[in-house]
Amino acid sequence: MDSALEKHIRQVVQQVLSSLQLTDIEEQPSIGRSKPLIVANWKMNMTLQEAREFFSGLTDAPYEHCEAVICPPAPLLYPLKELMQQAGISLGAQNLHEKPKGAHTGEVHGELLFELGCSHVIIGHSERRAAGETDEQVAAKVHQAIGNSMIPIVCVGETQLQRELGLTKEVIRTQVESALAGVTEERSPFIIAYEPVWAIGTGKTAQPSDAQDIHREIRQMLAEKKSIGFANRVPILYGGSVSASNIQELCAREDIDGALVGGASLQAHSFEAILKALR
Ligand SMILES: O=C[C@H](O)COP(=O)(O)O
């Protein structure tokens, strides 16, 4: 890999680790993040031209008060790398394969994503789980992400039916605990995104108090399965119809450390409005 690029990636990862305050973690009574983390998931949207227009439309970058990550479709990772660097935004992938290199047509391996500049990778999004991705694959992908020096952002969340059946905590516990099987080192970076499936792309955001309750539960699950120190340093993001009008109230809650944003991240003005609302 080009040494300047490698240096940049290591700096980004180091910044993230510093913002997680990994020193004296066991002594910290509460969450270690100093800045909210906003992750844009562009999903299967944007052309190269539209993505370039998005970056031309940013007026506020770089953002000092929060950490921003954009996860474009895989073919846009390389062409956008410089624009992302100039804007002070970290580059993330939307998925990776659960195995290292091999005969898996159409797939992308973690080593390549890291080489392209990715510091983060979304894993187990509900749209992928609905297409058949299993908890075991999620765990293997977490292992691949960490093994390739990237930070996994593991999505968990209940469907409308599971919610109505009172299964929310059970569903989330299974997803969280399975994903942790891919984390072998206590100090490995790890992010959870709680995305109630019924809130994704629907305009129905969870009540901040309800989201906080689930985030608190997730933190307890992390503490039970790993340690209190691990649980306190894992950022737990909320996702599901996040916009400039609700981000502030969500992030004001103790266990909501930022957001995973879909629709509102596709336009420069609506993406920046979310970041500005957190000032
Ligand atoms: O990954 C992002 C989530 O699925 C949220 O999407 P949304 O903000 O369009 O509801």
Side-chain angles (χ1 to χ4, degrees):
M1 189 193 314
D2 160 74
S3 64
L5 171 61
E6 186 169 358
K7 193 173 163 208
H8 171 74
I9 293 167
R10 295 207 183 283
Q11 276 170 350
V12 170
V13 172
Q14 194 50 52
Q15 276 167 11
V16 173
L17 294 177
S18 311
S19 73
L20 294 173
Q21 297 180 5
L22 284 177
T23 52
D24 299 320
I25 200 75
E26 301 297 342
E27 285 76 46
Q28 288 180 36
S30 60
I31 306 148
R33 291 201 66 78
S34 52
K35 291 179 181 179
L37 170 61
I38 302 299
V39 180
N41 177 10
W42 282 358
K43 306 191 179 183
M44 197 178 71
N45 293 297
M46 297 289 206
T47 61
L48 178 54
Q49 176 63 23
E50 287 165 349
R52 287 188 173 133
E53 283 165 16
F54 175 96
F55 283 96
S56 315
L58 296 178
T59 55
D60 249 31
Y63 313 98
E64 304 294 336
H65 61 293
C66 53
E67 187 190 338
V69 179
I70 294 181
C71 304
L76 295 184
L77 290 169
Y78 187 71
L80 296 185
K81 188 178 59 176
E82 271 187 40
L83 289 170
M84 300 272 284
Q85 278 175 14
Q86 285 160 14
I89 298 172
S90 301
L91 188 59
Q94 296 179 16
N95 182 38
L96 81 170
H97 197 264
E98 68 261 33
K99 296 225 166 69
K101 292 171 193 162
H104 301 287
T105 303
E107 299 289 346
V108 181
H109 61 80
E111 187 185 343
L112 175 58
L113 293 174
F114 177 73
E115 188 180 23
L116 291 177
C118 292
S119 54
H120 295 70
V121 54
I122 297 171
I123 296 174
H125 191 283
S126 60
E127 287 152 14
R128 296 196 59 83
R129 290 183 190 262
E133 189 157 289
T134 64
D135 286 332
E136 291 70 29
Q137 285 175 302
V138 168
K141 289 178 180 202
V142 167
H143 189 69
Q144 282 299 317
I146 295 170
N148 284 293
S149 306
M150 291 181 290
I151 303 171
I153 302 172
V154 176
C155 301
V156 301
E158 81 285 4
T159 62
Q160 177 71 41
L161 180 61
Q162 289 164 336
R163 180 180 166 87
E164 284 163 11
L165 293 172
L167 296 172
T168 298
K169 285 178 192 164
E170 203 177 317
V171 166
I172 292 171
R173 179 175 289 278
T174 302
Q175 292 174 335
V176 169
E177 292 188 356
S178 317
L180 286 175
V183 182
T184 47
E185 297 285 331
E186 177 74 17
R187 300 230 159 202
S188 296
F190 191 71
I191 296 174
I192 291 271
Y194 168 55
E195 297 207 312
V197 179
W198 49 269
I200 296 175
T202 59
K204 292 187 215 160
T205 317
Q207 287 300 314
S209 57
D210 292 345
Q212 161 60 25
D213 288 348
I214 300 288
H215 282 226
R216 173 59 59 88
E217 291 276 346
I218 291 171
R219 211 174 292 285
Q220 277 166 5
M221 291 171 197
L222 296 171
E224 282 163 28
K225 201 72 186 162
K226 287 282 179 192
S227 69
I228 293 174
F230 180 85
N232 282 345
R233 75 177 167 80
V234 169
I236 305 178
L237 313 180
Y238 169 79
S241 299
V242 169
S243 68
S245 61
N246 55 31
I247 188 70
Q248 210 174 12
E249 208 188 337
L250 286 161
C251 285
R253 304 287 167 155
E254 188 182 353
D255 290 283
I256 303 182
D257 305 315
L260 180 55
V261 188
S265 72
L266 294 173
Q267 304 291 332
H269 67 86
S270 50
F271 174 65
E272 281 198 325
I274 291 174
L275 302 176
K276 282 181 193 170
L278 289 170
R279 277 218 180 102

